[in-house]
Amino acid sequence: MHSFQNDHRLPVKHYSTGALFAHWIPVLARREDRTLHVAYVPRDAPGLTVVDDWDGMGQRTTASGTVRLEDVRVPEDRVVPHHLTFTGPQLHGAYAQLLHAAIDVGIAGGALEEALEFVRTKARPWTPPGTT
């Protein structure tokens, strides 16, 4: 088994979206030659700790938290060269924008549904004095 970042410590990653429920946690890291890679680390890897410390301010289901990695070893077949993503035409940016737009539409739709439910069941209409 080859190791990623041979005996170097991987950093702390704050606000790791989905880490609390993930089976695999993607971590950006650089090799000795400074090229950027994504290491897919199993959730139960020795040296990996996920801390449930994210206060999502209404984002109840992001399952985010801080990921701490200490002397984590990653098999070579779980490391992808991310730096090659942008060497030619690609859809990475467009896909990311579409994904985030879909998330925003979902949040807006949920907020609208909540507002409608409130208006239908809890709002108390009133008329200003002298208008009846």
Side-chain angles (χ1 to χ4, degrees), residues 13-22 25 43 50-56 59-67:
K13 182 180 179 191
H14 300 282
Y15 184 61
S16 301
T17 304
L20 296 175
F21 301 147
I25 298 174
R43 172 69 167 81
V50 178
V51 181
D52 185 4
D53 62 353
W54 175 247
D55 179 4
Q59 299 174 352
R60 295 182 300 261
T61 57
T62 66
S64 301
T66 295
V67 173

Side-chain angles (χ1 to χ4, degrees), residues 78-91:
R78 300 290 184 239
V79 178
V80 178
H82 185 65
H83 65 283
L84 299 177
T85 302
F86 306 102
T87 58
Q90 44 75 29
L91 298 173

Side-chain angles (χ1 to χ4, degrees), residues 2 6 11 17 28 34 37-38 73 86 94 122:
H2 297 284
N6 296 327
T17 304
L28 286 174
R34 304 299 299 154
H37 289 68
V38 179
R73 300 179 77 73
F86 306 102
K122 295 186 173 59

Side-chain angles (χ1 to χ4, degrees), residues 49-125:
T49 305
V50 178
V51 181
D52 185 4
D53 62 353
W54 175 247
D55 179 4
M57 300 170 290
Q59 299 174 352
R60 295 182 300 261
T61 57
T62 66
S64 301
T66 295
V67 173
R68 290 193 173 96
L69 302 110
E70 185 172 345
D71 297 325
V72 174
R73 300 179 77 73
V74 180
E76 192 66 31
D77 66 348
R78 300 290 184 239
V79 178
V80 178
H82 185 65
H83 65 283
L84 299 177
T85 302
F86 306 102
T87 58
Q90 44 75 29
L91 298 173
H92 186 77
Y95 178 77
Q97 290 175 354
L98 180 61
L99 175 68
H100 285 279
I103 291 168
D104 292 343
V105 167
I107 291 170
L112 180 59
E113 286 179 29
E114 294 268 335
L116 289 173
E117 179 65 18
F118 179 84
V119 169
R120 289 182 183 131
T121 62
K122 295 186 173 59
R124 293 186 267 163

